[in-house]
Amino acid sequence: MRKLLFVITFSIVFLHIAEAQQPKKPNSVEIHEAIKKLNFLGSVLYVAAHPDDENTRLISYMSNQVKARTAYLSLTRGDGGQNLVGPEIRELLGVIRTQELLAARNTDGGEQMFTRANDFGYSKHPDETLAIWDKKEVLSDVVWAIRKFQPDVIVNRFNHRTPGSTHGHHTSSAMLSVEAFDMVADKNIYPEQLQYVKTWQPKRLFFNTSWWFYGSRENFEKADKSNLLNFDTGVYYPDLGLSNTEIASLSRSQHKSQGFGSTGTRGSQTEYIELIKGELPKDKTNIFEGIDTSWNRVKGGKAIGDILYQVEKNFDFRNPAASVNQLIKAYQLIQQLEDPHWKTIKTEEIKDIITATTGLYLEAVATESYTTENSEVTVKVEAINRSNVVIRLKSIDILTVGISENPETILENNNRKNYELKGKIVSNIQYTTPYWLNSKGTLGMYNVTDRKLIGTPETKHQTEAIFYLEINGAIIPYQKDVVYKTNDPVKGEVYKPFEVIPAISASIKDKVIIYANGPAKQIPVIIKSAEPNTNGTVSLKHPEGWKVSPETINFNLTQKGEEKTVVFTLTAPQNQSEGYISPEIKFQEKTYSDEVVTIDYEHIPFQTVVLPSETKVVRLDINKKGQNIGYIEGAGDVVPESLQQIGYQVTTIAPESISEKTLQPFDAIVVGIRAYNTVEALKFKQKHLLEYVKNGGNLIIQYNTSHRLKVKEDLGPYPLKLSRDRVTDENATIKLLANDHPVLNTPNKITNKDFEGWVQERGLYFPNEWSKEYIPIISANDKGESEKKGALLIAKYGKGYYVYTGLSFFREFPAGVSGAYRLFANMLSLGK
């Protein structure tokens, strides 16, 4: 977890979090704020279900105004959401959203924690949620998080008393938190955890309520607030020139993949929390009333506090290094504490403060961005002390590279020391990849076997440099990740993580390959070497009944980073069939079958994910009419690529270019998901799309949300109203309502079998009101709910067809669901 001083101003200045490996360079104001936090020994844990559920106003307030150690426990990594910044979904989206949460905490000053729960998609009731998650295991993770973080206070985002009124994940997060509150002090509950942590009992548990949970502001005004605490989270920080709510908006805006950009606000803003368990404070503005948050709360702490309170009081903003002697004395006393929890936390905090007060800059930079086991590595080290404090650099260890250097040199004021160190990566080092993806989990749970990793936000980089410094007689170790940096002509200094990847990897570009137009396809396999002079053979594992030719292909790559594409011919069986293929490489008596996936967006650090290389192949019994499809992009999906897979020619249409003339050549126009929420130009171009239908065209609009809809009155040629209706059970029974309609009969006969094997959900945000011109084609419903008929609506308009569908084709296509392809082909074939 990234260590922070007072991160707000630094994070705000460096909004490109992709450069987050860069060493922090705090100023005097930030150092002084860090000292204030050093002198506060209280903790708050905020609990909810997903990235972007957290109340950043309250987290920022607790961290920056109260100075409490504040963390957000998100039960999931948000894998089931949509992605507005790119094509990644499911596990890779979870990687992105994890980093967005870390960016948010870098902005508001909090820390980040998780459980192993997998966001499997929208759930309507906690009974379903907790069955899929495996309640016992997720509850153990919540207990583990509390025992590990030791919060004095827990705040739930959601109400545990209203199951079924909101997302099942939301209510479940609160229910688990309430249950865990009474369990964490019992040594007989999850006793296996106690070899790493001790039992703990928080003092209070709250629910972060608001008028929204009461149905209206008027209801909330009338409500009894005797059990509520309140805080003015709109406080202004003069040293920053920002209000707390402005910082909270910057934090929330880090959730870019979900489109949660937030405009900063100013002025008083009250937050309410309702006591659920524990004793209500008499001072309803002080969440810590009755809890000792001074150094006196730990045995041996008074002497530390006597020093550090004076450091805070007498801090010299023009000469921060004047505090070093006292800081070192406090550091040495902290090392003598018997309480391992506060000893660990405050050791890291005071080390960072000592570094900052001396202007100490330590950096270890590899000359290449990645390496492999047993490879030679060169690391360039920089160390500089920008104060008059006497600092001796005693040694530098990079254990995973076998480097141990002993400079035993004085770092004189503003005199840079540089070292070039060479070593070799150890043979047993693990690849750089998110730890929760190392082994296959279930629909509801990630599989993490290492207890110490559970809950940590990301994989700790193994290649780190440990600098041992002597300051005023104290030997202090500093850990710095080895990084890679380059100079970009536009951005300047750019940092990336230094990563360990497989010596050789193989990938197939398409993760689903559909056989719809013939029995054989060419399968290109991209082989990439992370070492020079690699040669071996590659083969293609395939399902039974499929045939591959040739059986093996030889390859030879001479340079590091070189790629080569080899091509296999894969022949499908005659009948409909599906399975998985994966390349397998033999190199130096080892077998490699992984691919290296990189995720590169400016708002998060560069991510490397090592995954089993696997592609689904589907022999599909499908017919189609029409050929040329126009596609208008929305919030991001792989529908165009999927349609190309089954033989359509797909052309992306720029929204600005839409006119009756540009639409005329296409057999059908498909509009991407949430396009009417995200594409401003459609407000002005909708009339051309409807005219296209009137003149004989076929227009297919995929789901949109009613919130922030840019086209409301003329979304369809006839009145149509969107709702929040959805069917989350992917196995929900489908009823065919219009058996004689062409969309169910030509060119493919659609039956209930075509709705087997769907993933995550049936669909979402269905219309719930429509005029008589629309024909509902199917219906479905979740258990205990009324029948939903708005999943697929078709209207004849003029000479053409207008189709509105909330069915989740954007999820089914990447999963290779046969029936989804067949039904979509029928939709495209209407009127042909």
Side-chain angles (χ1 to χ4, degrees):
M1 187 173 293
R2 297 186 177 91
K3 299 297 178 186
L4 308 174
L5 293 176
F6 188 63
V7 298
I8 293 175
T9 52
F10 187 86
S11 297
I12 291 168
V13 172
F14 291 92
L15 288 178
H16 291 297
I17 306 299
E19 300 173 9
Q21 278 73 28
Q22 183 172 352
K24 305 289 189 281
K25 304 165 189 174
N27 58 41
S28 293
V29 171
E30 294 168 332
I31 296 169
H32 190 241
E33 293 295 336
I35 295 170
K36 291 180 184 178
K37 295 197 77 170
L38 181 65
N39 283 331
F40 193 95
L41 280 71
S43 303
V44 177
L45 181 64
Y46 199 87
V47 180
H50 310 105
D52 72 45
D53 281 346
E54 77 274 26
N55 184 339
T56 55
R57 294 183 301 274
L58 198 56
I59 290 175
S60 179
Y61 178 85
M62 290 297 164
S63 178
N64 300 315
Q65 177 67 12
V66 179
K67 309 301 181 190
R69 182 179 179 230
T70 309
Y72 173 41
L73 174 61
S74 176
L75 268 60
T76 76
R77 296 177 185 268
D79 322 72
Q82 282 102 52
N83 185 358
L84 300 187
V85 299
E88 297 87 357
I89 58 173
R90 294 300 306 145
E91 291 85 357
L92 295 182
L93 176 59
V95 174
I96 292 173
R97 298 190 72 185
T98 294
Q99 291 301 318
E100 288 178 337
L101 267 180
L102 287 170
R105 300 294 78 78
N106 273 344
T107 304
D108 59 35
E111 299 178 32
Q112 187 59 52
M113 304 175 76
F114 294 95
T115 74
R116 290 169 292 169
N118 191 340
D119 178 5
F120 56 84
Y122 192 88
S123 175
K124 293 182 177 178
H125 200 280
D127 289 349
E128 177 196 37
T129 298
L130 295 173
I132 294 175
W133 274 355
D134 187 341
K135 178 186 174 182
K136 180 183 176 182
E137 291 304 309
V138 181
L139 180 59
S140 95
D141 288 0
V142 177
V143 170
W144 166 259
I146 295 171
R147 287 172 171 173
K148 187 176 179 182
F149 189 74
Q150 295 188 15
D152 298 302
V153 177
I154 298 175
V155 181
N156 292 342
R157 183 69 182 105
F158 299 105
N159 192 347
H160 68 288
R161 298 160 296 195
T162 55
S165 63
T166 182
H167 197 323
H169 297 182
H170 292 169
T171 310
S172 294
S173 70
M175 292 170 64
L176 292 171
S177 175
V178 170
E179 191 169 349
F181 185 90
D182 294 328
M183 301 173 71
V184 290
D186 189 338
K187 65 181 181 181
N188 296 312
I189 294 177
Y190 301 116
E192 69 281 0
Q193 297 180 2
L194 299 182
Q195 61 181 306
Y196 306 106
V197 293
K198 67 178 184 179
T199 58
W200 179 254
Q201 184 56 61
K203 300 295 189 297
R204 300 178 181 116
L205 172 68
F206 294 94
F207 158 46
N208 184 193
T209 191
S210 71
W211 69 263
W212 188 88
F213 292 98
Y214 286 75
S216 70
R217 295 182 187 275
E218 183 180 5
N219 289 344
F220 186 61
E221 290 297 322
K222 297 176 182 178
D224 177 12
K225 297 184 179 62
S226 58
N227 205 36
L228 271 60
L229 273 64
N230 62 84
F231 314 97
D232 182 2
T233 59
V235 61
Y236 177 66
Y237 304 123
D239 291 340
L240 305 178
L242 290 169
S243 68
N244 186 75
T245 46
E246 287 175 305
I247 293 166
S249 293
L250 289 167
S251 174
R252 188 151 183 80
S253 295
Q254 301 308 316
H255 296 295
K256 299 184 189 304
S257 68
Q258 304 304 296
F260 275 108
S262 177
T263 300
T265 60
R266 288 146 293 281
S268 178
Q269 184 164 338
T270 304
E271 285 288 337
Y272 293 90
I273 55 175
E274 177 190 355
L275 183 71
I276 302 299
K277 288 181 178 289
E279 184 178 345
L280 185 72
K282 294 178 182 178
D283 179 358
K284 292 192 175 182
T285 65
N286 182 6
I287 198 172
F288 286 102
E289 185 185 73
I291 301 171
D292 189 351
T293 58
S294 73
W295 276 102
N296 293 326
R297 82 177 292 171
V298 293
K299 183 180 179 180
K302 182 180 184 304
I304 300 168
D306 289 344
I307 295 171
L308 292 178
Y309 296 134
Q310 289 302 310
V311 171
E312 179 183 335
K313 180 180 178 181
N314 301 318
F315 184 74
D316 186 345
F317 286 83
R318 296 184 64 85
N319 181 24
S323 301
V324 169
N325 289 343
Q326 295 298 94
L327 289 169
I328 292 296
K329 289 179 183 178
Y331 171 82
Q332 292 173 317
L333 289 174
I334 290 172
Q335 304 319 297
Q336 299 171 24
L337 289 176
E338 296 178 12
D339 186 326
H341 177 73
W342 286 112
K343 177 182 177 180
T344 300
I345 293 167
K346 295 304 177 181
T347 292
E348 293 305 311
E349 288 183 10
I350 199 168
K351 282 168 58 177
D352 286 345
I353 292 169
I354 291 168
T355 302
T357 56
T358 59
L360 185 65
Y361 184 94
L362 304 169
E363 185 175 77
V365 178
T367 55
E368 295 184 278
S369 63
Y370 62 85
T371 190
T372 61
E373 60 179 358
N374 295 318
S375 292
E376 300 288 338
V377 174
T378 299
V379 179
K380 294 184 177 181
V381 171
E382 177 183 342
I384 186 169
N385 165 28
R386 290 169 288 186
S387 73
N388 289 321
V389 176
V390 177
I391 300 178
R392 179 184 294 274
L393 175 59
K394 295 186 70 65
S395 63
I396 307 166
D397 291 342
I398 309 178
L399 301 180
T400 55
V401 189
I403 290 174
S404 185
E405 190 79 5
N406 299 292
E408 286 289 350
T409 184
I410 297 294
L411 297 179
E412 298 173 343
N413 188 358
N414 218 28
N415 185 3
R416 185 178 66 227
K417 299 289 185 181
N418 291 98
Y419 304 91
E420 185 172 291
L421 310 177
K422 296 182 182 294
K424 190 175 184 180
I425 289 285
V426 296
S427 60
N428 61 345
I429 195 167
Q430 294 185 339
Y431 300 144
T432 304
T433 194
Y435 70 87
W436 61 94
L437 299 180
N438 278 336
S439 58
K440 193 173 183 61
T442 65
L443 173 64
M445 294 289 291
Y446 281 117
N447 183 22
V448 181
T449 56
D450 186 341
R451 163 56 59 185
K452 291 176 289 185
L453 284 176
I454 292 174
T456 56
E458 57 183 341
T459 305
K460 179 179 171 59
H461 279 263
Q462 298 177 81
T463 310
E464 65 176 9
I466 306 175
F467 296 81
Y468 290 92
L469 304 176
E470 183 178 354
I471 308 175
N472 284 10
I475 307 298
I476 305 178
Y478 283 95
Q479 294 83 17
K480 299 288 181 180
D481 286 344
V482 176
V483 297
Y484 173 73
K485 72 176 180 180
T486 55
N487 183 71
D488 184 273
V490 175
K491 300 175 184 177
E493 196 173 48
V494 175
Y495 281 75
K496 289 175 63 176
F498 174 66
E499 321 223 77
V500 180
I501 62 175
I504 195 158
S505 58
S507 62
I508 300 171
K509 180 183 177 182
D510 295 317
K511 296 309 169 190
V512 174
I513 298 176
I514 305 295
Y515 283 71
N517 301 301
K521 277 185 180 285
Q522 302 294 297
I523 309 295
V525 176
I526 303 168
I527 305 169
K528 185 171 183 177
S529 175
E531 294 181 357
N533 302 317
T534 56
N535 58 79
T537 61
V538 59
S539 59
L540 194 65
K541 295 176 66 176
H542 56 85
E544 186 176 351
W546 296 63
K547 297 179 181 179
V548 66
S549 175
E551 291 187 4
T552 61
I553 297 176
N554 296 325
F555 68 89
N556 181 31
L557 301 173
T558 60
Q559 299 182 52
K560 181 176 182 177
E562 184 178 353
E563 290 185 1
K564 182 177 182 179
T565 299
V566 299
V567 180
F568 293 92
T569 298
L570 182 66
T571 303
Q574 290 186 347
N575 298 323
Q576 189 157 305
S577 172
E578 61 183 56
Y580 290 88
I581 59 173
S582 57
E584 194 171 79
I585 297 173
K586 302 288 186 181
F587 168 60
Q588 291 184 345
E589 299 181 354
K590 287 187 176 182
T591 300
Y592 295 85
S593 56
D594 290 328
E595 66 175 313
V596 177
V597 179
T598 58
I599 301 174
D600 190 6
Y601 294 105
E602 283 199 354
H603 71 292
I604 60 172
F606 185 90
Q607 298 293 298
T608 296
V609 185
V610 179
L611 294 171
S613 183
E614 189 176 72
T615 287
K616 186 175 184 179
V617 289
V618 180
R619 171 69 172 90
L620 183 58
D621 179 14
I622 188 172
N623 298 300
K624 61 184 188 300
K625 296 179 181 179
Q627 180 65 27
N628 297 320
I629 309 299
Y631 196 82
I632 301 170
E633 292 183 342
D637 55 48
V638 294
V639 171
E641 295 88 340
S642 300
L643 297 180
Q644 288 170 345
Q645 284 261 19
I646 57 176
Y648 286 104
Q649 180 178 320
V650 182
T651 303
T652 300
I653 303 172
E656 297 77 13
S657 70
I658 293 174
S659 69
E660 293 175 33
K661 183 177 179 180
T662 57
L663 300 178
Q664 188 178 5
F666 297 107
D667 296 311
I669 303 293
V670 180
V671 182
I673 60 171
R674 294 178 66 179
Y676 289 93
N677 299 126
T678 59
V679 182
E680 190 72 25
L682 288 180
K683 184 189 302 183
F684 313 104
K685 300 295 185 177
Q686 180 69 354
K687 60 183 180 181
H688 298 303
L689 290 168
L690 295 180
E691 192 65 24
Y692 163 78
V693 178
K694 190 174 183 180
N695 292 331
N698 183 9
L699 177 64
I700 299 171
I701 297 177
Q702 298 179 87
Y703 95 93
N704 294 271
T705 69
S706 57
H707 182 57
R708 295 179 180 174
L709 194 63
K710 299 183 184 301
V711 178
K712 297 181 180 180
E713 300 301 324
D714 298 317
L715 183 60
Y718 311 108
L720 181 72
K721 184 178 179 181
L722 303 185
S723 74
R724 298 186 64 82
D725 286 354
R726 62 199 302 164
V727 177
T728 61
D729 181 358
E730 62 269 31
N731 298 310
T733 300
I734 295 290
K735 184 185 294 185
L736 305 180
L737 302 176
N739 285 297
D740 295 331
H741 197 281
V743 79
L744 295 180
N745 292 282
T746 182
N748 305 287
K749 179 63 176 176
I750 302 299
T751 68
N752 284 93
K753 187 173 179 61
D754 289 294
F755 293 93
E756 295 177 1
W758 283 50
V759 299
Q760 189 162 330
E761 61 196 350
R762 289 299 191 191
L764 64 171
Y765 299 111
F766 303 155
N768 65 347
E769 295 181 22
W770 54 86
S771 68
K772 60 181 177 60
E773 288 83 2
Y774 294 99
I775 299 174
I777 304 299
I778 65 171
S779 71
N781 59 273
D782 285 318
K783 184 179 179 180
E785 292 195 354
S786 61
E787 189 177 24
K788 305 295 187 294
K789 298 182 178 181
L792 178 57
L793 300 175
I794 300 177
K796 194 79 168 63
Y797 179 59
K799 299 178 182 178
Y801 285 89
Y802 174 93
V803 181
Y804 190 95
T805 180
L807 291 171
S808 58
F809 291 103
F810 71 103
R811 297 197 191 280
E812 311 316 316
F813 286 171
V817 177
S818 301
Y821 279 93
R822 285 164 46 83
L823 177 57
F824 209 93
N826 280 16
M827 290 157 53
L828 292 170
S829 301
L830 285 169
K832 305 297 181 294

